[in-house]
Amino acid sequence: MRPPTPATVLQQTFGHRGFRGMQAGVIDRLLAGGHSMYLAPTGSGKSLAYQVPALAVPGAGGLPGVAVVLSPLIALMQDQVAALRGRGVAATFLNSSLGRAERERREADLAAGKFRLLYVTPERFRKPAFRDAMSKVKVSLLAVDEAHCVSAWGHDFRPDYSRVGEIREAVSSPTTIALTATATPDVQADIARQLGLTIGDGPDQLRVFHEGVARPNLSLDVRPVYGDDEKLAAIRETACGSAGPAVVYFTLIQTLRRFSEALRSARVPHVCYHGDLDARQRRSVQDAFMSDEPGVSLVLATNAFGMGIDKPDIRAVVHAELPGSLEAYAQEIGRAGRDGQPSTCTLLYDEADLATQMRFQEWAHPDTEFYERLHHHLEHDAERIAAEGLDWLREKLHAKQGRHDRRLDTALGLLERHGTLGPDADWRDPDHPHLPLTGDLAPALRDADRLAEQLKRAQRRLYALVQYTQHGGDRAVFLNEYFHGRTPSALG
């Protein structure tokens, strides 16, 4: 029996008549054993670039090889696996949401060759039982989703993603694809370096397929506003008055709540989605929005809303507060108009929001002095931290800076990544953290110049967003020039 072709997989499994954009070129290169980096707008179908070849080509030994997909978010991978299983695809995930018995059952099925796609977070490769299960598996393809998380120079760096090179070696360096909607040339080069590859067209190199970041059906607009009253009026016009479902993004939960109260007073039906809701409440809001329940066509949300949501008919995305970068903005506007129909993306620019984002940039990038003080407390106050939790440690490190100061979380992740904390470190329970030191502070975290450069890059990304708000020409052109590494022209 001949193995299924990409075209038959696309039509019979996914219900599409033909490939879009550069999908076919990426798939052909992967099937030939060539590595690829695929950059395309959010919602343009990047996942098909690894799902189709995973199903089209059998692996060694008569059993299909498994495609391993590294994904940053548990909720995202669960949604993707549910969608695949609904189409009859043998896909699964392994993550911390599973109980021991279910996890062991899936690991046994994985070793027996029962799955074609496996979704995992990079952290899963720290677990000995998982590594043992993977040692019995033929990996035909490694897909790194949201690949910009790999790069410390990117806008959404996640320390465990910097393990991708080790992970790739652990699964015998298979054909690899990195996927993202947002990576500038320097981030692309860093992704390639982390994977142990170089960018180029050679058979052993990482070929870049770049479709740009803005889909042509999206109307991009920036509206200068001053204060809550003007913002509220703009939201009511752009989101409440849209021809279909709409999402309004906020940076701060407290601001979201303030605008929610104003809309409720005006009897405007809507729902809210943010990190102060528990997982059950967030899932309820997401499910209601996806199923078009009455009164749930307008969502006020923080940036956590949208990852993995493949709702095709979102007609408006409004940013009520300034995002932290053009990269974050591009990700979020990509949730509009996935059905190809005209949709609007409106950024409400209040200059006062810029100060908030500048403060966030500083909080997201600890300096050497912060790392040294943290290391000192972990070394000398271990019993106090164990007894009183992270709140005590956070107060010692940055006093009353506020709940949005994420320096401690960032620093702990990097201490663990660089081996200063033991591999069993765990701070998910802030009241009972386990933070075992293994040695001195890593040299990379004492490099003041390197840490300062990371902050400067974040500030430059924010400045590029400000340039975007002032641009007098075609904003889609601006975005595409930025992500191709060219200086956007004709600034107004």
Side-chain angles (χ1 to χ4, degrees):
M1 181 177 176
R2 298 179 62 186
T5 66
T8 56
V9 170
L10 182 72
Q11 184 169 359
Q12 295 176 7
T13 302
F14 296 100
H16 300 302
R17 294 182 178 179
F19 291 108
R20 295 186 296 178
M22 296 181 175
Q23 287 173 335
V26 176
I27 290 168
D28 286 345
R29 179 167 173 84
L30 293 175
L31 293 180
H35 313 298
S36 299
M37 182 184 298
Y38 188 20
L39 297 102
T42 301
S44 61
K46 291 188 295 297
S47 58
L48 287 173
Y50 63 80
Q51 291 170 345
V52 169
L55 301 176
V57 177
L63 289 173
V66 66
V68 174
V69 184
L70 298 182
S71 181
L73 295 176
I74 289 175
L76 177 60
M77 68 174 67
Q78 289 172 336
D79 289 344
Q80 290 174 323
V81 167
L84 287 168
R85 293 180 69 85
R87 296 180 179 276
V89 176
T92 194
F93 61 82
L94 285 167
N95 58 45
S96 59
S97 71
L98 301 174
R100 179 175 178 178
E102 177 62 18
R103 186 178 66 251
E104 290 178 348
R105 183 186 70 79
R106 294 191 189 194
E107 287 174 348
D109 287 346
L110 175 66
K114 294 185 178 181
F115 299 119
R116 302 298 298 269
L117 289 113
L118 169 67
Y119 286 74
V120 294
T121 61
E123 296 92 320
R124 182 59 34 184
F125 279 85
R126 293 192 230 158
K127 309 295 182 182
F130 176 71
R131 292 198 301 270
D132 180 64
M134 290 303 300
S135 69
K136 303 168 185 174
V137 173
K138 166 69 177 178
V139 177
S140 57
L141 179 67
L142 176 66
V144 183
D145 202 9
E146 307 295 343
H148 55 273
C149 296
V150 166
S151 177
W153 307 123
H155 76 287
D156 193 20
F157 173 59
R158 301 183 184 225
D160 271 293
Y161 253 65
S162 64
R163 287 187 164 89
V164 291
E166 302 167 19
I167 291 170
R168 187 167 178 267
E169 289 184 6
V171 295
S172 302
S173 301
T175 301
T176 301
I177 178 172
L179 307 104
T180 179
T182 51
T184 55
D186 59 341
V187 172
Q188 295 170 33
D190 199 20
I191 292 170
R193 182 184 64 79
Q194 298 272 14
L195 288 168
L197 299 167
T198 58
I199 290 177
D201 293 333
D204 295 322
Q205 291 182 299
L206 192 69
R207 178 183 293 177
V208 176
F209 294 80
H210 202 321
E211 291 191 5
V213 298
R215 284 179 275 112
N217 62 307
L218 301 184
S219 174
L220 307 181
D221 185 31
V222 174
R223 182 174 299 193
V225 293
Y226 180 77
D228 283 5
D229 288 345
E230 291 188 13
K231 277 189 180 180
L232 183 62
I235 289 170
R236 296 194 65 174
E237 179 184 341
T238 56
C240 306
S242 74
V247 180
V248 182
Y249 281 108
F250 293 82
T251 299
L252 300 173
I253 295 175
Q254 64 192 44
T255 310
L256 184 157
R257 286 175 170 153
R258 192 166 69 245
F259 277 81
S260 176
E261 284 301 316
L263 289 173
R264 290 192 197 286
S265 296
R267 301 184 182 279
V268 176
H270 66 280
V271 291
C272 299
Y273 185 105
H274 53 74
D276 280 355
L277 302 177
D278 62 35
R280 179 189 59 79
Q281 291 172 311
R282 293 196 300 272
R283 173 59 69 174
S284 176
V285 170
Q286 179 176 317
D287 290 346
F289 182 69
M290 292 294 291
S291 59
D292 295 316
E293 289 187 14
V296 193
S297 62
L298 173 61
V299 180
L300 310 190
T302 57
N303 61 7
F305 184 77
M307 290 292 284
I309 292 178
D310 192 18
K311 186 172 178 59
D313 61 342
I314 295 176
R315 296 277 75 90
V317 168
V318 179
H319 283 82
E321 294 181 281
L322 197 68
S325 65
L326 266 183
E327 287 86 343
Y329 175 72
Q331 290 274 357
E332 288 154 12
I333 64 172
R335 287 153 197 162
R338 293 189 176 194
D339 56 4
Q341 296 302 308
S343 304
T344 62
C345 303
T346 307
L347 172 58
L348 306 181
Y349 180 59
D350 186 337
E351 197 169 285
D353 294 338
L354 183 58
T356 299
Q357 285 296 348
M358 291 176 69
R359 189 162 61 250
F360 282 4
Q361 300 287 14
E362 294 176 359
W363 287 347
H365 294 84
D367 58 17
T368 300
E369 188 264 344
F370 186 90
Y371 282 110
E372 289 174 345
R373 286 194 294 121
L374 173 58
H375 188 273
H376 174 86
H377 285 299
L378 292 174
E379 183 176 17
H380 296 285
D381 299 309
E383 291 184 6
R384 188 76 181 268
I385 296 168
E388 301 196 32
L390 291 187
D391 283 345
W392 179 87
L393 180 57
R394 190 172 280 112
E395 183 177 346
K396 288 294 181 182
L397 290 168
H398 45 70
K400 297 180 180 179
Q401 291 284 1
R403 61 175 292 181
H404 299 287
D405 189 336
R406 306 295 294 176
R407 281 179 293 177
L408 177 58
D409 306 84
T410 299
L412 289 174
L414 286 166
L415 285 178
E416 192 277 330
R417 176 63 187 95
H418 286 285
T420 302
L421 285 176
D424 59 336
D426 187 357
W427 55 96
R428 284 176 297 179
D429 182 351
D431 295 324
H432 303 92
H434 179 60
L435 303 171
L437 276 180
T438 61
D440 293 334
L441 196 62
L445 303 180
R446 295 184 179 188
D447 188 339
D449 291 340
R450 179 177 181 274
L451 296 177
E453 177 59 23
Q454 289 180 352
L455 174 57
K456 288 179 182 177
R457 287 181 181 240
Q459 291 169 337
R460 286 197 290 268
R461 288 193 294 272
L462 179 58
Y463 177 63
L465 179 60
V466 175
Q467 286 182 298
Y468 171 84
T469 68
Q470 306 302 313
H471 187 57
D474 188 326
R475 288 194 167 85
V477 172
F478 185 106
L479 285 176
N480 286 326
E481 287 186 351
Y482 175 79
F483 284 103
H484 278 89
R486 296 188 289 267
T487 302
S489 58
L491 291 176

